[in-house]
Amino acid sequence: MVHGKTTTINMITGITDPTKGSITINGFDIQKESVKAKENIGLVPDSPDIFASFDVSKYFNFMMEMYNVDKKEGKERVEKLVKEFEIEKFLNDSIADLSHGTRQKVMIIGVLLHNPSVWILDEPMTGLDPKSSHILKEKMKEHAKNGNTVFFSTHVLEVAEKLCTKIIIISEGSIRYTGKLEELQAKYPEVKTLEELFFKVIDNSKEA
């Protein structure tokens, strides 16, 4: 049974044990080879408050040290990303003192610093301003285009429709559909948007 999107993400990332089966990240079992599996993951959780006691720059340094990022390369990435997300003036501030949106930007930058092949993002657009949201979406598309994986959850179905090549629809703790978006669209050709498809799948699963 799938309990929900955040629970699913917690199992994928090794925060909680899977209730059934096994999970591998780039061939590494998240339970048996957790360190190697997690080296491939960049996680943006649903709450940006887990490192609230850090200053922004200290958090970036912590993330680079934890993932053994080359200092010169890491510094260049920090400079590039903080400029893109426009948070230069917050580098010496405590994360706890930042707005929700700025904290979200800090978490996203922290994840990108070690350039993981698998991005796992739980509601990553929440709190972001339109420009930052656009930048993140472009980075997600580019990352996937380069042969990597972007796994993200969202309640904004228009975002999923524009970005995703494969979708999972979860309702009441169970998976109602998993597969390619175009295959679902082909099944219901009369339905035009993912939002309409979502309710079509949910309604049909209740009737089954």
Side-chain angles (χ1 to χ4, degrees):
M1 172 178 284
V2 177
H3 299 286
K5 62 180 182 60
T6 299
T7 303
T8 301
I9 287 173
N10 286 346
M11 290 190 290
I12 291 172
T13 53
I15 296 172
T16 55
D17 292 335
T19 53
K20 186 178 181 181
S22 61
I23 296 169
T24 59
I25 307 294
N26 288 345
F28 298 110
D29 189 294
I30 194 64
Q31 290 180 288
K32 298 177 182 177
E33 303 169 283
S34 62
V35 173
K36 290 183 178 179
K38 290 175 184 178
E39 286 175 349
N40 289 271
I41 294 172
L43 170 66
V44 175
D46 62 338
S47 171
D49 300 328
I50 55 175
F51 293 102
S53 61
F54 282 72
D55 288 350
V56 173
S57 58
K58 288 182 179 179
Y59 167 67
F60 292 155
N61 288 333
F62 168 76
M63 293 297 286
M64 288 189 287
E65 288 177 8
M66 187 167 66
Y67 288 99
N68 297 312
V69 178
D70 178 80
K71 288 185 178 180
K72 183 176 182 295
E73 187 177 337
K75 183 180 178 182
E76 291 173 352
R77 287 181 187 169
V78 168
E79 290 175 352
K80 180 176 182 292
L81 289 166
V82 298
K83 185 175 181 179
E84 284 184 312
F85 285 98
E86 300 180 339
I87 65 163
E88 300 103 312
K89 64 182 180 181
F90 301 112
L91 285 175
N92 295 318
D93 291 357
S94 169
I95 293 176
D97 295 333
L98 303 177
S99 68
H100 180 89
T102 304
R103 274 179 275 172
Q104 187 76 349
K105 293 180 189 180
V106 171
M107 293 298 108
I108 291 167
I109 292 171
V111 162
L112 301 184
L113 289 179
H114 74 284
N115 196 28
S117 61
V118 180
W119 294 3
I120 300 178
L121 316 175
D122 194 355
E123 298 284 354
M125 313 298 174
T126 302
L128 292 185
D129 57 87
K131 182 179 179 180
S132 296
S133 181
H134 174 74
I135 290 170
L136 179 58
K137 286 184 280 189
E138 290 300 307
K139 288 185 177 297
M140 291 164 68
K141 288 190 286 187
E142 182 181 1
H143 194 65
K145 186 178 179 180
N146 290 333
N148 301 299
T149 299
V150 178
F151 182 102
F152 82 103
S153 70
T154 180
H155 282 100
V156 185
L157 298 184
E158 293 87 351
V159 173
E161 188 172 11
K162 291 177 181 178
L163 293 178
C164 296
T165 56
K166 185 176 181 180
I167 62 171
I168 302 170
I169 295 176
I170 298 175
S171 177
E172 297 180 354
S174 296
I175 292 176
R176 306 300 183 181
Y177 175 80
T178 178
K180 293 182 178 181
L181 178 57
E182 58 262 34
E183 291 175 352
L184 184 59
Q185 290 170 328
K187 187 175 180 180
Y188 302 104
E190 75 281 6
V191 179
K192 302 302 180 183
T193 68
L194 181 55
E195 183 177 40
E196 293 172 316
L197 282 168
F198 175 86
F199 289 114
K200 192 81 170 178
V201 169
I202 299 305
D203 290 341
N204 287 350
S205 65
K206 290 179 179 178
E207 293 173 1

